[in-house]
Structures are given as C-alpha cells and as structure tokens.
Amino acid sequence: MSKRILFGNDPADDPIRERMRKGTEAFLEQFKFKIPMRRRNRLGRGPYWDAYWRSCVTAAAKQLDIEAVQINDQMCVNTQAHAVAIKNRAVELHRAETKTLSKMVDSV
C-alpha cells in the first residue's frame, strides 16, 4: 500500500501524499545546519571518497548525543554550535582511525 501511495499516480492518493509531504517538511525544517558526509580521500590510496569519514561523523553525533538527521550526503542538525561540535569530534575520530590504519599498512 505505501508504494502505491508514495510512487503511484492515482489522484485519489493526492491528499495523503500532500499530508505526508507537509509532515516531513515540517520535521526537517528545524535541521538547517549541514555537515558533509562525503570527504575527499586524503590518504593517497583507495577510492576517491574517504571510506571512514561517514562513520566518523555518525559516531561523533552519537557520542555527543546530538539529534541529527541524514539527508542525502549530509548530516543535518538544528544549531551551528552542534554542527561545529560534531565536525570537530569527527575530525578527532578520523585522525585516530587513519593513524591506526597507517600503522597497520606500514607494518605490512
């Protein structure tokens, strides 16, 4: 039933789709400050996008107990202070993770 409502073209479902859109829009409206979840890989090896950055940003938000939502490739929060705190903590986590990775790769 939900696929039919979300992706169907039946005009009878238009009021339900509109109500769902407004509810989602109202909820997401409070999350205006964005933190990119993709970051160029600076290690010089591997894929173009950094494989660890996304998990570091997510872990930082959980550790700081800050409410955030993911929209496409961005973590969105409701204040600039929260965005800065998450980004700074994610950088710390990322440094620790890549330092550990570098030690493992260098020892091989």
Side-chain angles (χ1 to χ4, degrees):
M1 180 173 145
S2 62
K3 276 188 176 181
R4 181 180 61 85
I5 292 171
L6 289 174
F7 305 112
N9 292 325
D10 188 359
D13 295 327
D14 285 347
I16 296 169
R17 276 193 291 273
E18 183 64 21
R19 190 174 43 217
M20 289 171 67
R21 185 188 64 77
K22 284 182 181 177
T24 303
E25 205 172 74
F27 174 73
L28 295 178
E29 190 174 282
Q30 62 184 327
F31 299 97
K32 295 184 189 253
F33 299 94
K34 300 171 180 140
I35 305 157
M37 297 283 284
R38 291 193 316 180
R39 183 177 180 180
R40 188 174 58 83
N41 189 349
R42 297 178 178 147
L43 297 176
R45 56 186 173 265
Y48 184 76
W49 296 115
D50 191 327
Y52 299 105
W53 181 248
R54 179 181 296 270
S55 62
C56 290
V57 172
T58 304
K62 285 182 182 176
Q63 286 177 6
L64 297 171
D65 197 27
I66 296 174
E67 183 180 14
V69 295
Q70 184 175 338
I71 302 173
N72 298 330
D73 284 327
Q74 299 174 357
M75 170 91 52
C76 299
V77 294
N78 55 3
T79 66
Q80 182 67 35
H82 286 160
V84 170
I86 289 173
K87 186 172 182 185
N88 290 340
R89 182 64 184 140
V91 167
E92 292 172 12
L93 293 171
H94 189 266
R95 275 195 197 120
E97 187 68 35
T98 54
K99 185 184 266 187
T100 304
L101 178 67
S102 293
K103 285 180 184 177
M104 288 178 13
V105 169
D106 292 341
S107 67
V108 172

